[in-house]
Amino acid sequence: MAYTTIDDPSVYFQTKLYTGTSSDHAVTLDADTDMAPNLVWIKDRDYGNYHVLFDTVRGVENSLIPSETLAEANQHATGYLSVFGSDGFTVIAGSTNPNNVNTDAHKYVAWNWKAGTTSGLTTNASTDITPSAYSFNQTAGFSTLAYTGNQTSGAKLAHGLGVKPDMIITKSRAGASGWGVYHKSLGATYGMLLNTTAAKDDDATAWNDVEPDTVNITLGSSINTNKTGTCVAYAFVEKQGYSKFGIYTGNGNADGPFVFLGFKPAWLLRKRTDSTASTWLIHDSKRGFNSNAVRLRADLNNAEDSGNQVDLLSNGFKIRETGGYGNASGSPYIYMAFAEESLVTSTGVPATASRTGASE
């Protein structure tokens, strides 16, 4: 069996840095790959403006804000996105709120995921909720699902991935709610919220204490996962050499834990699970790594800063901080990571030497 089926991770995930112009302009991803993004997450690096999420399933003009409980907003002609292209997206110059994606001379980061299949989603006799629209990719292990929540415990939502999801993020589009998070390392007994610093919560209303399966995600009655009305879910499956979802334990010193991924990380999200003394930390290899590492935080709209150091290595990541945000002694931290380059190709050839750091 091949080590990985994804020789070029940039086909399915890319980080793009760009500078705002306050006028309409196309943001083009890596020209060497056919990367038509289905999910785009944008953040102003310079100022405390909102994170904003767009996806092809909900429609290019509809934004959600990961740090907030706000309902979806239609941003037509107000300074957001106008087009998902075959190799990127277009930001526009509008009359309202352009700061989030396109203020002149501001530096932005856009994280982009590709799904792509919009028909043939599998259901079974247990499925209660068939998504009204969706885009999934079983090779990359990613699906975006638009669905109508019913706030009924035990409702089963088809996800299209063909195997059990390892991480799920949900949000009500129609009304105020938190961003529900399922992570395989915590299991369905616990829920977390992407928009807060809250610790894991033993809450049966999140995932009904039932693990997702190869066809369906089991939802509870919580408004954060299954609020009555239109909702969205992003589901992910770990793929060797491309993505990994796991947990590490902090040791409280600068020689922090090393986490083996089996690839050079392009993007890393992590959160302490036993305390509110941590935010959802985001690092990527384009904005800075190792001694130049910088952070953004999914639950806060703060500008980028240089706290919470982590080394992004050729085969994983190494924690270098000493604080409770990312390395409290004895505390668990969940993470999700996507690859810049796998250790070994599908034909068994070792990947090229690291551009982001040395192996541990």
Side-chain angles (χ1 to χ4, degrees), residues 301-348:
N301 296 315
N302 300 35
E304 176 180 275
D305 65 50
S306 59
N308 302 94
Q309 301 301 315
V310 59
D311 289 350
L312 304 181
L313 308 173
S314 64
N315 57 355
F317 62 92
K318 172 83 170 177
I319 306 301
R320 294 296 188 187
E321 65 193 282
T322 58
Y325 271 16
N327 194 22
S329 182
S331 288
Y333 294 81
I334 57 171
Y335 66 85
M336 65 185 300
F338 293 89
E340 179 178 324
E341 187 174 350
S342 179
L343 277 179
V344 181
T345 70
S346 61
T347 58

mmCIF file of all heavy atoms in Angstrom, residues 301-348:
data_model
loop_
_atom_site.group_PDB
_atom_site.id
_atom_site.type_symbol
_atom_site.label_atom_id
_atom_site.label_comp_id
_atom_site.label_asym_id
_atom_site.label_seq_id
_atom_site.Cartn_x
_atom_site.Cartn_y
_atom_site.Cartn_z
ATOM 1 N N ASN A 301 -10.281 38.214 16.846
ATOM 2 C CA ASN A 301 -10.015 38.942 15.597
ATOM 3 C C ASN A 301 -8.726 39.747 15.653
ATOM 4 O O ASN A 301 -8.481 40.595 14.798
ATOM 5 C CB ASN A 301 -11.201 39.861 15.285
ATOM 6 C CG ASN A 301 -12.461 39.058 15.025
ATOM 7 O OD1 ASN A 301 -12.425 38.068 14.302
ATOM 8 N ND2 ASN A 301 -13.569 39.463 15.636
ATOM 9 N N ASN A 302 -7.886 39.479 16.640
ATOM 10 C CA ASN A 302 -6.628 40.203 16.792
ATOM 11 C C ASN A 302 -5.761 40.129 15.545
ATOM 12 O O ASN A 302 -5.815 39.153 14.790
ATOM 13 C CB ASN A 302 -5.828 39.622 17.962
ATOM 14 C CG ASN A 302 -6.558 39.717 19.276
ATOM 15 O OD1 ASN A 302 -7.771 39.599 19.341
ATOM 16 N ND2 ASN A 302 -5.821 39.904 20.347
ATOM 17 N N ALA A 303 -4.942 41.141 15.358
ATOM 18 C CA ALA A 303 -3.923 41.089 14.316
ATOM 19 C C ALA A 303 -2.914 40.002 14.638
ATOM 20 O O ALA A 303 -2.813 39.520 15.767
ATOM 21 C CB ALA A 303 -3.220 42.447 14.198
ATOM 22 N N GLU A 304 -2.165 39.634 13.639
ATOM 23 C CA GLU A 304 -1.098 38.647 13.780
ATOM 24 C C GLU A 304 -0.052 39.130 14.787
ATOM 25 O O GLU A 304 0.279 40.311 14.832
ATOM 26 C CB GLU A 304 -0.486 38.477 12.393
ATOM 27 C CG GLU A 304 0.686 37.591 12.247
ATOM 28 C CD GLU A 304 1.128 37.581 10.786
ATOM 29 O OE1 GLU A 304 0.573 36.804 10.012
ATOM 30 O OE2 GLU A 304 2.014 38.391 10.421
ATOM 31 N N ASP A 305 0.459 38.216 15.606
ATOM 32 C CA ASP A 305 1.562 38.565 16.499
ATOM 33 C C ASP A 305 2.518 37.395 16.606
ATOM 34 O O ASP A 305 2.288 36.319 16.050
ATOM 35 C CB ASP A 305 1.067 39.029 17.870
ATOM 36 C CG ASP A 305 0.362 37.943 18.639
ATOM 37 O OD1 ASP A 305 0.908 36.832 18.761
ATOM 38 O OD2 ASP A 305 -0.751 38.189 19.149
ATOM 39 N N SER A 306 3.621 37.595 17.328
ATOM 40 C CA SER A 306 4.716 36.624 17.303
ATOM 41 C C SER A 306 4.725 35.692 18.500
ATOM 42 O O SER A 306 5.698 34.994 18.734
ATOM 43 C CB SER A 306 6.060 37.361 17.235
ATOM 44 O OG SER A 306 6.196 38.221 18.367
ATOM 45 N N GLY A 307 3.649 35.653 19.275
ATOM 46 C CA GLY A 307 3.616 34.767 20.423
ATOM 47 C C GLY A 307 3.430 33.312 20.046
ATOM 48 O O GLY A 307 3.148 32.963 18.906
ATOM 49 N N ASN A 308 3.588 32.440 21.034
ATOM 50 C CA ASN A 308 3.311 31.015 20.894
ATOM 51 C C ASN A 308 4.127 30.355 19.803
ATOM 52 O O ASN A 308 3.629 29.990 18.742
ATOM 53 C CB ASN A 308 1.811 30.797 20.681
ATOM 54 C CG ASN A 308 1.003 31.377 21.820
ATOM 55 O OD1 ASN A 308 0.557 32.491 21.728
ATOM 56 N ND2 ASN A 308 0.857 30.632 22.895
ATOM 57 N N GLN A 309 5.395 30.192 20.064
ATOM 58 C CA GLN A 309 6.312 29.663 19.058
ATOM 59 C C GLN A 309 6.122 28.172 18.840
ATOM 60 O O GLN A 309 5.916 27.397 19.778
ATOM 61 C CB GLN A 309 7.754 29.926 19.491
ATOM 62 C CG GLN A 309 8.067 31.399 19.698
ATOM 63 C CD GLN A 309 7.836 32.209 18.431
ATOM 64 O OE1 GLN A 309 8.226 31.797 17.363
ATOM 65 N NE2 GLN A 309 7.208 33.349 18.556
ATOM 66 N N VAL A 310 6.233 27.774 17.588
ATOM 67 C CA VAL A 310 6.202 26.371 17.212
ATOM 68 C C VAL A 310 7.116 26.197 16.009
ATOM 69 O O VAL A 310 7.142 27.038 15.112
ATOM 70 C CB VAL A 310 4.759 25.909 16.894
ATOM 71 C CG1 VAL A 310 4.138 26.705 15.767
ATOM 72 C CG2 VAL A 310 4.708 24.418 16.589
ATOM 73 N N ASP A 311 7.902 25.138 16.016
ATOM 74 C CA ASP A 311 8.734 24.822 14.853
ATOM 75 C C ASP A 311 7.947 23.907 13.922
ATOM 76 O O ASP A 311 7.465 22.846 14.343
ATOM 77 C CB ASP A 311 10.014 24.098 15.284
ATOM 78 C CG ASP A 311 10.995 25.006 16.008
ATOM 79 O OD1 ASP A 311 10.777 26.224 16.001
ATOM 80 O OD2 ASP A 311 11.968 24.482 16.572
ATOM 81 N N LEU A 312 7.824 24.299 12.670
ATOM 82 C CA LEU A 312 7.219 23.458 11.648
ATOM 83 C C LEU A 312 8.342 22.717 10.944
ATOM 84 O O LEU A 312 9.183 23.332 10.289
ATOM 85 C CB LEU A 312 6.417 24.313 10.657
ATOM 86 C CG LEU A 312 5.323 25.202 11.261
ATOM 87 C CD1 LEU A 312 4.595 25.970 10.174
ATOM 88 C CD2 LEU A 312 4.341 24.368 12.085
ATOM 89 N N LEU A 313 8.370 21.411 11.085
ATOM 90 C CA LEU A 313 9.495 20.592 10.665
ATOM 91 C C LEU A 313 9.141 19.739 9.450
ATOM 92 O O LEU A 313 8.002 19.744 8.981
ATOM 93 C CB LEU A 313 9.940 19.707 11.824
ATOM 94 C CG LEU A 313 10.210 20.436 13.145
ATOM 95 C CD1 LEU A 313 10.465 19.452 14.260
ATOM 96 C CD2 LEU A 313 11.368 21.408 12.983
ATOM 97 N N SER A 314 10.112 19.008 8.962
ATOM 98 C CA SER A 314 9.893 18.202 7.759
ATOM 99 C C SER A 314 8.957 17.028 8.002
ATOM 100 O O SER A 314 8.383 16.484 7.064
ATOM 101 C CB SER A 314 11.228 17.678 7.222
ATOM 102 O OG SER A 314 11.823 16.800 8.161
ATOM 103 N N ASN A 315 8.775 16.634 9.255
ATOM 104 C CA ASN A 315 7.950 15.472 9.548
ATOM 105 C C ASN A 315 6.933 15.698 10.660
ATOM 106 O O ASN A 315 6.303 14.754 11.145
ATOM 107 C CB ASN A 315 8.827 14.273 9.910
ATOM 108 C CG ASN A 315 9.743 14.551 11.094
ATOM 109 O OD1 ASN A 315 9.801 15.664 11.609
ATOM 110 N ND2 ASN A 315 10.469 13.519 11.519
ATOM 111 N N GLY A 316 6.775 16.951 11.111
ATOM 112 C CA GLY A 316 5.823 17.246 12.167
ATOM 113 C C GLY A 316 6.035 18.633 12.732
ATOM 114 O O GLY A 316 6.474 19.544 12.026
ATOM 115 N N PHE A 317 5.745 18.815 14.016
ATOM 116 C CA PHE A 317 5.965 20.121 14.641
ATOM 117 C C PHE A 317 6.488 19.946 16.059
ATOM 118 O O PHE A 317 6.259 18.934 16.718
ATOM 119 C CB PHE A 317 4.702 20.990 14.613
ATOM 120 C CG PHE A 317 3.503 20.458 15.361
ATOM 121 C CD1 PHE A 317 3.271 20.788 16.687
ATOM 122 C CD2 PHE A 317 2.571 19.648 14.718
ATOM 123 C CE1 PHE A 317 2.158 20.319 17.373
ATOM 124 C CE2 PHE A 317 1.448 19.173 15.383
ATOM 125 C CZ PHE A 317 1.238 19.510 16.712
ATOM 126 N N LYS A 318 7.214 20.956 16.509
ATOM 127 C CA LYS A 318 7.866 20.948 17.814
ATOM 128 C C LYS A 318 7.439 22.197 18.577
ATOM 129 O O LYS A 318 7.571 23.326 18.078
ATOM 130 C CB LYS A 318 9.383 20.952 17.633
ATOM 131 C CG LYS A 318 10.194 21.133 18.907
ATOM 132 C CD LYS A 318 10.375 19.841 19.639
ATOM 133 C CE LYS A 318 11.387 19.994 20.783
ATOM 134 N NZ LYS A 318 11.521 18.748 21.558
ATOM 135 N N ILE A 319 6.904 22.025 19.785
ATOM 136 C CA ILE A 319 6.457 23.139 20.602
ATOM 137 C C ILE A 319 7.651 23.754 21.316
ATOM 138 O O ILE A 319 8.466 23.047 21.923
ATOM 139 C CB ILE A 319 5.404 22.679 21.624
ATOM 140 C CG1 ILE A 319 4.246 21.956 20.930
ATOM 141 C CG2 ILE A 319 4.895 23.870 22.430
ATOM 142 C CD1 ILE A 319 3.512 22.772 19.906
ATOM 143 N N ARG A 320 7.756 25.098 21.238
ATOM 144 C CA ARG A 320 8.878 25.806 21.860
ATOM 145 C C ARG A 320 8.443 26.781 22.945
ATOM 146 O O ARG A 320 9.282 27.336 23.649
ATOM 147 C CB ARG A 320 9.646 26.577 20.780
ATOM 148 C CG ARG A 320 10.336 25.686 19.761
ATOM 149 C CD ARG A 320 11.413 24.839 20.381
ATOM 150 N NE ARG A 320 12.194 24.120 19.376
ATOM 151 C CZ ARG A 320 13.115 23.217 19.670
ATOM 152 N NH1 ARG A 320 13.389 22.940 20.940
ATOM 153 N NH2 ARG A 320 13.775 22.594 18.712
ATOM 154 N N GLU A 321 7.177 27.028 23.099
ATOM 155 C CA GLU A 321 6.714 27.983 24.101
ATOM 156 C C GLU A 321 6.641 27.339 25.471
ATOM 157 O O GLU A 321 6.735 26.105 25.612
ATOM 158 C CB GLU A 321 5.337 28.505 23.715
ATOM 159 C CG GLU A 321 4.260 27.425 23.733
ATOM 160 C CD GLU A 321 2.993 27.850 23.058
ATOM 161 O OE1 GLU A 321 2.234 28.584 23.682
ATOM 162 O OE2 GLU A 321 2.776 27.453 21.909
ATOM 163 N N THR A 322 6.463 28.151 26.495
ATOM 164 C CA THR A 322 6.372 27.628 27.857
ATOM 165 C C THR A 322 5.038 27.939 28.502
ATOM 166 O O THR A 322 4.776 27.479 29.606
ATOM 167 C CB THR A 322 7.490 28.225 28.732
ATOM 168 O OG1 THR A 322 7.384 29.657 28.731
ATOM 169 C CG2 THR A 322 8.848 27.823 28.197
ATOM 170 N N GLY A 323 4.189 28.704 27.858
ATOM 171 C CA GLY A 323 2.944 29.153 28.468
ATOM 172 C C GLY A 323 1.797 28.175 28.310
ATOM 173 O O GLY A 323 1.886 27.169 27.608
ATOM 174 N N GLY A 324 0.695 28.513 28.967
ATOM 175 C CA GLY A 324 -0.490 27.670 28.960
ATOM 176 C C GLY A 324 -1.232 27.642 27.648
ATOM 177 O O GLY A 324 -2.037 26.741 27.402
ATOM 178 N N TYR A 325 -1.011 28.654 26.790
ATOM 179 C CA TYR A 325 -1.702 28.648 25.507
ATOM 180 C C TYR A 325 -1.427 27.379 24.723
ATOM 181 O O TYR A 325 -2.329 26.779 24.157
ATOM 182 C CB TYR A 325 -1.271 29.854 24.669
ATOM 183 C CG TYR A 325 -2.093 31.103 24.875
ATOM 184 C CD1 TYR A 325 -2.922 31.247 25.981
ATOM 185 C CD2 TYR A 325 -2.031 32.148 23.954
ATOM 186 C CE1 TYR A 325 -3.673 32.396 26.170
ATOM 187 C CE2 TYR A 325 -2.784 33.302 24.134
ATOM 188 C CZ TYR A 325 -3.594 33.431 25.236
ATOM 189 O OH TYR A 325 -4.327 34.566 25.404
ATOM 190 N N GLY A 326 -0.151 26.983 24.654
ATOM 191 C CA GLY A 326 0.177 25.851 23.803
ATOM 192 C C GLY A 326 1.023 24.780 24.430
ATOM 193 O O GLY A 326 1.331 23.784 23.771
ATOM 194 N N ASN A 327 1.399 24.941 25.738
ATOM 195 C CA ASN A 327 2.324 23.966 26.311
ATOM 196 C C ASN A 327 2.264 23.930 27.841
ATOM 197 O O ASN A 327 3.291 23.878 28.518
ATOM 198 C CB ASN A 327 3.758 24.253 25.859
ATOM 199 C CG ASN A 327 4.704 23.113 26.137
ATOM 200 O OD1 ASN A 327 4.292 21.970 26.291
ATOM 201 N ND2 ASN A 327 5.994 23.423 26.222
ATOM 202 N N ALA A 328 1.088 23.942 28.422
ATOM 203 C CA ALA A 328 0.960 23.809 29.875
ATOM 204 C C ALA A 328 1.295 22.386 30.285
ATOM 205 O O ALA A 328 0.844 21.423 29.653
ATOM 206 C CB ALA A 328 -0.451 24.168 30.315
ATOM 207 N N SER A 329 2.077 22.247 31.318
ATOM 208 C CA SER A 329 2.524 20.929 31.751
ATOM 209 C C SER A 329 1.341 20.022 32.093
ATOM 210 O O SER A 329 0.483 20.378 32.913
ATOM 211 C CB SER A 329 3.441 21.059 32.961
ATOM 212 O OG SER A 329 3.911 19.798 33.362
ATOM 213 N N GLY A 330 1.298 18.864 31.450
ATOM 214 C CA GLY A 330 0.263 17.873 31.715
ATOM 215 C C GLY A 330 -1.062 18.120 31.038
ATOM 216 O O GLY A 330 -1.983 17.305 31.178
ATOM 217 N N SER A 331 -1.181 19.212 30.297
ATOM 218 C CA SER A 331 -2.462 19.545 29.671
ATOM 219 C C SER A 331 -2.543 19.011 28.240
ATOM 220 O O SER A 331 -1.556 19.040 27.502
ATOM 221 C CB SER A 331 -2.673 21.059 29.644
ATOM 222 O OG SER A 331 -2.933 21.551 30.937
ATOM 223 N N PRO A 332 -3.720 18.539 27.833
ATOM 224 C CA PRO A 332 -3.895 18.028 26.471
ATOM 225 C C PRO A 332 -4.265 19.135 25.493
ATOM 226 O O PRO A 332 -4.990 20.069 25.842
ATOM 227 C CB PRO A 332 -5.051 17.030 26.629
ATOM 228 C CG PRO A 332 -5.850 17.557 27.779
ATOM 229 C CD PRO A 332 -4.905 18.276 28.681
ATOM 230 N N TYR A 333 -3.778 18.997 24.260
ATOM 231 C CA TYR A 333 -4.054 19.936 23.186
ATOM 232 C C TYR A 333 -4.451 19.160 21.929
ATOM 233 O O TYR A 333 -3.684 18.315 21.451
ATOM 234 C CB TYR A 333 -2.810 20.778 22.862
ATOM 235 C CG TYR A 333 -2.390 21.709 23.961
ATOM 236 C CD1 TYR A 333 -1.644 21.230 25.047
ATOM 237 C CD2 TYR A 333 -2.736 23.049 23.945
ATOM 238 C CE1 TYR A 333 -1.264 22.072 26.077
ATOM 239 C CE2 TYR A 333 -2.345 23.910 24.966
ATOM 240 C CZ TYR A 333 -1.622 23.416 26.029
ATOM 241 O OH TYR A 333 -1.237 24.258 27.051
ATOM 242 N N ILE A 334 -5.633 19.426 21.407
ATOM 243 C CA ILE A 334 -6.009 18.827 20.132
ATOM 244 C C ILE A 334 -5.435 19.665 19.000
ATOM 245 O O ILE A 334 -5.145 20.857 19.159
ATOM 246 C CB ILE A 334 -7.537 18.693 19.964
ATOM 247 C CG1 ILE A 334 -8.242 20.055 20.099
ATOM 248 C CG2 ILE A 334 -8.095 17.667 20.942
ATOM 249 C CD1 ILE A 334 -9.715 20.027 19.742
ATOM 250 N N TYR A 335 -5.263 19.028 17.834
ATOM 251 C CA TYR A 335 -4.753 19.766 16.687
ATOM 252 C C TYR A 335 -5.333 19.205 15.400
ATOM 253 O O TYR A 335 -5.805 18.059 15.343
ATOM 254 C CB TYR A 335 -3.217 19.714 16.644
ATOM 255 C CG TYR A 335 -2.631 18.347 16.393
ATOM 256 C CD1 TYR A 335 -2.478 17.853 15.090
ATOM 257 C CD2 TYR A 335 -2.240 17.525 17.457
ATOM 258 C CE1 TYR A 335 -1.948 16.586 14.855
ATOM 259 C CE2 TYR A 335 -1.709 16.268 17.234
ATOM 260 C CZ TYR A 335 -1.570 15.803 15.933
ATOM 261 O OH TYR A 335 -1.058 14.546 15.709
ATOM 262 N N MET A 336 -5.308 20.028 14.361
ATOM 263 C CA MET A 336 -5.552 19.589 12.991
ATOM 264 C C MET A 336 -4.459 20.206 12.132
ATOM 265 O O MET A 336 -4.049 21.350 12.349
ATOM 266 C CB MET A 336 -6.944 19.980 12.493
ATOM 267 C CG MET A 336 -7.219 21.451 12.355
ATOM 268 S SD MET A 336 -8.936 21.853 11.885
ATOM 269 C CE MET A 336 -9.123 21.040 10.306
ATOM 270 N N ALA A 337 -3.932 19.423 11.192
ATOM 271 C CA ALA A 337 -2.808 19.885 10.386
ATOM 272 C C ALA A 337 -2.953 19.400 8.957
ATOM 273 O O ALA A 337 -3.468 18.300 8.703
ATOM 274 C CB ALA A 337 -1.487 19.362 10.975
ATOM 275 N N PHE A 338 -2.482 20.240 8.019
ATOM 276 C CA PHE A 338 -2.473 19.903 6.596
ATOM 277 C C PHE A 338 -1.069 20.073 6.055
ATOM 278 O O PHE A 338 -0.294 20.902 6.522
ATOM 279 C CB PHE A 338 -3.468 20.772 5.834
ATOM 280 C CG PHE A 338 -4.891 20.486 6.214
ATOM 281 C CD1 PHE A 338 -5.493 21.162 7.267
ATOM 282 C CD2 PHE A 338 -5.618 19.515 5.548
ATOM 283 C CE1 PHE A 338 -6.793 20.882 7.642
ATOM 284 C CE2 PHE A 338 -6.920 19.217 5.917
ATOM 285 C CZ PHE A 338 -7.510 19.902 6.976
ATOM 286 N N ALA A 339 -0.742 19.277 5.027
ATOM 287 C CA ALA A 339 0.633 19.131 4.572
ATOM 288 C C ALA A 339 1.032 20.158 3.527
ATOM 289 O O ALA A 339 0.235 20.569 2.688
ATOM 290 C CB ALA A 339 0.845 17.736 3.999
ATOM 291 N N GLU A 340 2.307 20.517 3.589
ATOM 292 C CA GLU A 340 2.972 21.177 2.478
ATOM 293 C C GLU A 340 3.656 20.133 1.598
ATOM 294 O O GLU A 340 3.673 20.246 0.376
ATOM 295 C CB GLU A 340 4.004 22.171 3.001
ATOM 296 C CG GLU A 340 4.769 22.907 1.914
ATOM 297 C CD GLU A 340 5.738 23.910 2.489
ATOM 298 O OE1 GLU A 340 5.433 24.542 3.519
ATOM 299 O OE2 GLU A 340 6.826 24.059 1.913
ATOM 300 N N GLU A 341 4.203 19.107 2.242
ATOM 301 C CA GLU A 341 4.881 18.047 1.513
ATOM 302 C C GLU A 341 4.919 16.786 2.369
ATOM 303 O O GLU A 341 5.217 16.837 3.555
ATOM 304 C CB GLU A 341 6.305 18.468 1.144
ATOM 305 C CG GLU A 341 7.035 17.509 0.247
ATOM 306 C CD GLU A 341 8.378 18.030 -0.215
ATOM 307 O OE1 GLU A 341 8.650 19.224 0.010
ATOM 308 O OE2 GLU A 341 9.151 17.260 -0.783
ATOM 309 N N SER A 342 4.604 15.636 1.760
ATOM 310 C CA SER A 342 4.639 14.364 2.465
ATOM 311 C C SER A 342 6.072 13.874 2.608
ATOM 312 O O SER A 342 6.965 14.263 1.849
ATOM 313 C CB SER A 342 3.808 13.327 1.710
ATOM 314 O OG SER A 342 3.856 12.078 2.364
ATOM 315 N N LEU A 343 6.308 12.988 3.586
ATOM 316 C CA LEU A 343 7.635 12.406 3.766
ATOM 317 C C LEU A 343 8.021 11.508 2.597
ATOM 318 O O LEU A 343 9.171 11.456 2.187
ATOM 319 C CB LEU A 343 7.662 11.570 5.047
ATOM 320 C CG LEU A 343 7.901 12.285 6.368
ATOM 321 C CD1 LEU A 343 7.858 11.283 7.505
ATOM 322 C CD2 LEU A 343 9.236 13.010 6.358
ATOM 323 N N VAL A 344 7.039 10.764 2.079
ATOM 324 C CA VAL A 344 7.285 9.785 1.029
ATOM 325 C C VAL A 344 6.181 9.907 -0.009
ATOM 326 O O VAL A 344 5.018 10.101 0.340
ATOM 327 C CB VAL A 344 7.302 8.351 1.600
ATOM 328 C CG1 VAL A 344 7.594 7.322 0.499
ATOM 329 C CG2 VAL A 344 8.312 8.215 2.727
ATOM 330 N N THR A 345 6.528 9.803 -1.277
ATOM 331 C CA THR A 345 5.528 9.892 -2.336
ATOM 332 C C THR A 345 4.762 8.575 -2.470
ATOM 333 O O THR A 345 5.088 7.575 -1.841
ATOM 334 C CB THR A 345 6.190 10.213 -3.690
ATOM 335 O OG1 THR A 345 6.934 9.065 -4.126
ATOM 336 C CG2 THR A 345 7.100 11.418 -3.579
ATOM 337 N N SER A 346 3.762 8.576 -3.341
ATOM 338 C CA SER A 346 2.952 7.375 -3.556
ATOM 339 C C SER A 346 3.760 6.238 -4.177
ATOM 340 O O SER A 346 3.372 5.070 -4.085
ATOM 341 C CB SER A 346 1.763 7.705 -4.452
ATOM 342 O OG SER A 346 2.204 8.175 -5.721
ATOM 343 N N THR A 347 4.890 6.561 -4.783
ATOM 344 C CA THR A 347 5.743 5.535 -5.390
ATOM 345 C C THR A 347 6.902 5.127 -4.482
ATOM 346 O O THR A 347 7.807 4.406 -4.896
ATOM 347 C CB THR A 347 6.313 6.026 -6.735
ATOM 348 O OG1 THR A 347 7.052 7.239 -6.523
ATOM 349 C CG2 THR A 347 5.187 6.283 -7.732
ATOM 350 N N GLY A 348 6.904 5.650 -3.228
ATOM 351 C CA GLY A 348 7.926 5.266 -2.269
ATOM 352 C C GLY A 348 9.189 6.092 -2.307
ATOM 353 O O GLY A 348 10.172 5.755 -1.652
#
